[in-house]
Every structure is written in structure tokens, then in C-alpha cells.
Amino acid sequence: MELLSGSFFSFSVMPICLLLMAAFSRTAECRFLTGGQDGGGQTVGENSYEATSCRAHSASLTDFGGVGDGVTLNSKAFQAAVEHLAQFSGDGGGLLYVPPGRWLTGPFNLTSCMTLFLHHDAVILATQDINEWPIIDPLPSYGRGRDAPGGRYSSLIMGFNLTDVIITGDNGTVDGQGDFWWAKFHHKQLKYTRGYLVELQYSDQIFISNLVFLNSPSWNIHPVYSSNIVVKGITISAPLHSPNTDGINPDSCSHVRIEDSYVVSGDDCVAIKSGWDEYGIAVGMPSEHIIIRRLTCISPTSATIALGSEMSGGIQDVRAEDITAIDTESGVRIKTAIGRGGFVKDIFVRRMTLHTMKWVFWMTGNYNSHPDGKYNPEAIPDIEGINYSHVVAENVTTAGRLEGIEKAPFKGICISNVSVEVRKAKKTAWVCENVEGVSSGVTPAPCDALKDEGMEATDCPFREDRLPIEDVEVKDCSLPFSYSL
């Protein structure tokens, strides 16, 4: 698969610092800069980049002994650079510049008020030495690792309790070299769960843009217990049958904007999550107020957008529009099960264009994977208020496979103005069990559970009120003169 060129991702975005949500206490306070200058007083020009905050201080990885030969391990250089920049968190923040080269490293942590910037010809390479990957605790809302009981390997780029974190560049690359991990996973040779490329926990004001993420050991971008997140203009690519290489997974996160991105993966392109069974119920932190737009997805074995299956803290107010998927298993999939508890409600999807799909709409109430045997069989998920409109799909096996839970049907489903070209097959175009809803202007005609009420096709709602995350913009910031592109 040829990656999209950098010009495809020349988008504009404004200061996320205007949206400080006091969900978590913070000790760092950035002095955000205004106007057309960076912290050094340089006028924005050829060596500019877009970000939500410009930085007053900067350093290159080479200042800390970094060697970009693809062989030398740079874990200590990355960590020393971050520790140096941490002192500027109250003085305009700091930028770490990764110059051209192949920078082999183990996991490292970021700090508040920091920008990690990758040159176009810079590649951060994840080491395949498993001894360089620390073991960390499982997430509280999961109770264990996803691959195995117990802890997890650290993610490559980590952050905890941070404010104002920017990961960006001139379409530089982060390569997880995941084939090593995939082989061990398939052969059941891992004692702990694989790490991700990026994981930021309990953080606020996250901006990830204009980078290429390749070959993650597992999930690619994983903000968790975090708020005010913008992910835009990124490319994610992994082999189509690589295990669990989800693209972007906001997990118990609020006020999220995902846009203008391209994902090719072996799992869901975007998966919204909020914890697993009794552990997610106990944490009780929903994913909500999420915007997904102008996303392109290729994933033959998974969904363009998935809700769940770990959704025990709840998922609500998700708005997806202008979505394209090619050779992907399903357009939108809701995954849940008895024991999950929680809810999925107020979901709005419109203007999807789908080519070569197994299912357009897929809802699964029997996704029976559990962290352990302690889940509560009385914890029944509530699925309600699911709205799809203006969808065009061609070369599809089945228009919809909607399977709710007996005695707890999925309710309030609305599907309107949908045209699906179904391949000739023995199976029916729609499969519906334990669901309730309405439809209008849908071809082929849906099952009886989605009665055609004769309403206008626009009657399936889409929330139009503006979320604060939509008003977050970027500014032009200057790179230090000596670090010219």
C-alpha cells in the first residue's frame, strides 16, 4: 500500500490551550505564546509548522548523544532530552527535534508543555529487544492486559498526567517494527500484553498530527482517561492481517476530534472504548463528545468505526461524517455482551461511502470475551439512539447484521437515505434479532424490525450543536533556525 504524500495532509487547525477542562489536577502551567512568532521571537516563515502551542525552548536529539544510524540505541538520549525540556514547562514549554535518520529506541515518556517534532526523513524505530520494554500495570478499567492476565509491556511513546502535549512533524515516521511482536503473539510466546505506539494517560490537551505510524505491535494511538484531544492528518499502516493493530482508540476520553486521516490496519480503524466488564463499570468513565470526520479506512477483517467491545464505562455522543472505507469488513460496528453493562447511545453517522464490504451495519450483542469469570451476568448493556443516514455502499455481502440481546433489545435505531448494492448471494440482505427501530429510503428494504415509517430521509437526526473541541485551532510556529527542513 502506497502511503499518501505529505501534501494530502496540509490542513489547518487553533490554540487547544483555550480549552482547559479541569477533569484532572495539573501541576504544570504552560505560558502559551501568541502572535506570529515562536518563543525565540522568530517570524513564521519557510521553517514553520502547525501546532496548538508554540514553544519558547528547543533541543535536538543529537544534543543528548542521539545517533540516527538505525543500530545505536537512543533510549537514554530521548529520556535525557525530555528531562531537559521538562524544566521549561512553566516557561513556554520545549520542542524536541528529531532530525533525519533512523533513531532506534526503547519506550520513553513525554512531559507537559512539550512538542515532539519529527523531520520528514526522521524515523523513530522501536527496538525489538524485548528486555528494553518495561512491564507496567494493567489499566484500572481493564483489570488485566488485553492479550494476557497481568501487566503490560510499556508503549513506545508514553505520558502520564500531562497537559499540552504535541506529537507532530513534517510527515516523519514512527515504526513499531511489529513483526517481532506479531510472531510471538501468534506462537503464544508472550507472558504480557503488547504495548502500543502511543499511549497517553490522564492527560489533557493532546495534539497528534502530520506523522506516519507503521507496524505497531498492537494498537497505534491510545489516549485513555484523557480529554481535549485532536488527531489529524496522520497515516497509519500495518499489514492487513497483523493482529490487533487498531488505528486510533480513544478510551474513556472526552472531547475528541479525529479528522483527515488514513488508516490501513489489521483491526478496527477507529475503536471507541471505555473499559472491560466489572473493571470498566467500577471506573465508570465514559467516552463522549467525539467527532470523526474525513477518515479513510482499509481493514478487510474489521470495522471502519467500532464502538466497543470494551464499553463498560459507556459511550455517548459520537458524531461521524464523511467517511470512506474500501475493502473493509463493516462500516460501523457496535460490539458488546452480557456482563459489559454500560451503554452506547446517541450515535450519529452520516455521509459514508463504502466499497467492497461484508456488512454495512453490524451490531453484536454476544461479543463474549471477558477479562475473567467475575463479571456480573446481570450487567446488561443499554444500546439506544443509533442513527445512520446518507450511506452509499457497493459490492456488499449483507446490508445489515443487527443482533441485540434477548430481553434487552437494541432500541431507537434509525436508518435513512441508504443505498446498498448487495452482491448476489444465498443470504438475505438483512439479518435482525432483538432490535427495534425505524427506517426510510433504504435499499434494499430492511427487516420488519426497522419499519419504514414513510418519514423523510432526513428524519434520522444528526446533532448540529457545536462542540468546544471543534473550535480548537492551530497556529503557525517556527522551527529553530538551525533545524531547517
Side-chain angles (χ1 to χ4, degrees), residues 220-303:
N220 280 266
I221 310 296
H222 184 227
V224 56
Y225 319 133
S226 296
S227 58
N228 293 319
I229 301 158
V230 176
V231 179
K232 65 173 299 176
I234 68 170
T235 296
I236 293 174
S237 182
L240 296 177
H241 295 287
S242 53
N244 312 116
T245 51
D246 298 40
I248 306 164
N249 288 10
D251 195 342
S252 291
C253 289
S254 63
H255 296 277
V256 179
R257 190 173 104 202
I258 300 167
E259 62 189 13
D260 301 315
S261 293
Y262 178 84
V263 181
V264 180
S265 79
D267 213 308
D268 303 320
C269 288
V270 172
I272 301 172
K273 300 176 179 290
S274 65
W276 201 7
D277 286 7
E278 68 269 25
Y279 303 103
I281 293 171
V283 171
M285 193 170 181
S287 281
E288 58 188 353
H289 313 309
I290 296 173
I291 294 170
I292 307 166
R293 57 196 183 193
R294 300 184 300 276
L295 171 76
T296 299
C297 169
I298 299 175
S299 181
T301 60
S302 293

Side-chain angles (χ1 to χ4, degrees), residues 22 25 287 335 409 447:
S25 65
S287 281
K335 300 185 281 187
C447 46

Side-chain angles (χ1 to χ4, degrees), residues 178-256:
D179 53 341
F180 162 83
W181 295 96
W182 306 330
K184 285 187 171 294
F185 173 78
H186 284 308
H187 290 95
K188 302 185 185 303
Q189 295 173 341
L190 292 172
K191 184 177 179 180
Y192 303 103
T193 293
R194 292 162 288 159
Y196 311 136
L197 283 188
V198 177
E199 182 176 83
L200 300 172
Q201 298 185 32
Y202 301 105
S203 296
D204 186 50
Q205 304 175 44
I206 298 167
F207 182 74
I208 302 174
S209 72
N210 297 325
L211 290 173
V212 177
F213 296 91
L214 301 178
N215 304 317
S216 178
S218 185
W219 301 350
N220 280 266
I221 310 296
H222 184 227
V224 56
Y225 319 133
S226 296
S227 58
N228 293 319
I229 301 158
V230 176
V231 179
K232 65 173 299 176
I234 68 170
T235 296
I236 293 174
S237 182
L240 296 177
H241 295 287
S242 53
N244 312 116
T245 51
D246 298 40
I248 306 164
N249 288 10
D251 195 342
S252 291
C253 289
S254 63
H255 296 277
V256 179

Side-chain angles (χ1 to χ4, degrees), residues 33 68 92 117 228 256 329 470 481:
L33 305 167
F117 184 96
N228 293 319
V256 179
E329 187 175 54
E470 297 184 78
F481 179 78

Side-chain angles (χ1 to χ4, degrees), residues 16-294:
I16 203 166
C17 53
L18 299 177
L19 293 173
L20 180 60
M21 292 191 63
F24 310 101
S25 65
R26 298 285 184 265
T27 57
E29 180 179 352
C30 306
R31 178 173 61 83
F32 296 115
L33 305 167
T34 59
Q37 297 182 329
D38 73 355
Q42 296 173 321
T43 301
V44 173
E46 292 182 358
N47 296 338
S48 66
Y49 67 99
E50 292 184 333
T52 46
S53 300
C54 302
R55 306 304 187 191
H57 305 272
S58 62
S60 172
L61 188 61
T62 56
D63 297 339
F64 301 88
V67 179
D69 60 3
V71 177
T72 304
L73 191 67
N74 291 284
S75 306
K76 291 182 179 179
F78 272 106
Q79 209 55 54
V82 172
E83 290 172 2
H84 168 75
L85 294 172
Q87 67 183 304
F88 304 119
S89 63
D91 184 26
L95 178 145
L96 176 58
Y97 173 76
V98 183
R102 295 173 64 80
W103 307 91
L104 186 70
T105 184
F108 61 93
N109 291 315
L110 303 181
T111 190
S112 289
C113 306
M114 176 184 172
T115 297
L116 177 66
F117 184 96
L118 277 66
H119 184 280
H120 177 76
D121 296 320
V123 181
I124 294 178
L125 280 175
T127 180
Q128 293 186 326
D129 182 352
I130 200 168
N131 295 316
E132 293 293 326
W133 294 76
I135 308 302
I136 61 175
D137 291 336
L139 294 167
S141 56
Y142 284 72
R144 50 162 279 178
R146 279 302 277 114
D147 294 346
R152 312 179 290 147
Y153 289 102
S154 171
S155 294
L156 181 64
I157 301 173
M158 293 280 291
F160 304 86
N161 294 296
L162 304 182
T163 301
D164 184 20
V165 179
I166 297 171
I167 304 172
T168 189
D170 182 31
N171 283 300
T173 300
V174 180
D175 188 344
Q177 300 202 103
D179 53 341
F180 162 83
W181 295 96
W182 306 330
K184 285 187 171 294
F185 173 78
H186 284 308
H187 290 95
K188 302 185 185 303
Q189 295 173 341
L190 292 172
K191 184 177 179 180
Y192 303 103
T193 293
R194 292 162 288 159
Y196 311 136
L197 283 188
V198 177
E199 182 176 83
L200 300 172
Q201 298 185 32
Y202 301 105
S203 296
D204 186 50
Q205 304 175 44
I206 298 167
F207 182 74
I208 302 174
S209 72
N210 297 325
L211 290 173
V212 177
F213 296 91
L214 301 178
N215 304 317
S216 178
S218 185
W219 301 350
N220 280 266
I221 310 296
H222 184 227
V224 56
Y225 319 133
S226 296
S227 58
N228 293 319
I229 301 158
V230 176
V231 179
K232 65 173 299 176
I234 68 170
T235 296
I236 293 174
S237 182
L240 296 177
H241 295 287
S242 53
N244 312 116
T245 51
D246 298 40
I248 306 164
N249 288 10
D251 195 342
S252 291
C253 289
S254 63
H255 296 277
V256 179
R257 190 173 104 202
I258 300 167
E259 62 189 13
D260 301 315
S261 293
Y262 178 84
V263 181
V264 180
S265 79
D267 213 308
D268 303 320
C269 288
V270 172
I272 301 172
K273 300 176 179 290
S274 65
W276 201 7
D277 286 7
E278 68 269 25
Y279 303 103
I281 293 171
V283 171
M285 193 170 181
S287 281
E288 58 188 353
H289 313 309
I290 296 173
I291 294 170
I292 307 166
R293 57 196 183 193
R294 300 184 300 276

